[in-house]
Amino acid sequence: MSRFNNLSEVVSVMRARGFVNTFSIQHQQVYCSELSKAISPTQLTLLERHVVPLPSAQSGQEEVYGFRTDDNQLGIMANICAEYDPEGFYAVFRQCLKGQAVGAWS
């Protein structure tokens, strides 16, 4: 887990490293706008997790995740929707695979 100063910093660094897709949770599934398709959470492997200070969030921070799909597409997902639907977010998120590079998971 890494710490960045703001959301644009982490997104910029991750995009430069190939995480070019954006994943969001919609209707109990993961959706990728760039690929124009829904992706089963079981087809995502979590590779990275970063913490970003975000005073407007309930917890004072936001988490940004780096995922790889089964067909090797890299993408970013933020936990911002967990603020509005924590049960729905974590129900989908728990189905994703955790990669070896993630480190400590909470």
Side-chain angles (χ1 to χ4, degrees):
M1 181 172 65
S2 302
R3 284 202 171 266
F4 288 88
N5 293 319
N6 56 55
L7 187 60
S8 63
E9 180 184 2
V10 69
V11 169
S12 178
V13 167
M14 291 181 75
R15 295 264 190 239
R17 293 184 22 252
F19 289 86
V20 296
N21 297 300
T22 305
F23 300 141
S24 61
I25 296 178
Q26 299 178 5
H27 310 290
Q28 272 79 55
Q29 62 184 356
V30 177
Y31 184 77
C32 178
S33 56
E34 291 83 1
L35 300 174
S36 299
K37 69 176 187 177
I39 302 167
S40 170
T42 60
Q43 295 177 344
L44 294 175
T45 299
L46 178 63
L47 301 176
E48 301 182 11
R49 176 177 164 226
H50 306 282
V51 174
V52 180
L54 192 64
S56 62
Q58 289 177 2
S59 65
Q61 66 185 22
E62 183 172 353
E63 294 182 13
V64 179
Y65 309 101
F67 285 97
R68 181 183 66 233
T69 66
D70 283 353
D71 60 354
N72 290 316
Q73 298 287 324
L74 297 176
I76 295 172
M77 180 190 304
N79 72 336
I80 193 69
C81 66
E83 296 276 325
Y84 309 103
D85 182 15
E87 290 178 25
F89 175 82
Y90 291 110
V92 171
F93 193 83
R94 277 192 294 270
Q95 297 175 57
C96 300
L97 304 172
K98 276 64 169 189
Q100 298 296 325
V102 176
W105 182 253
S106 54

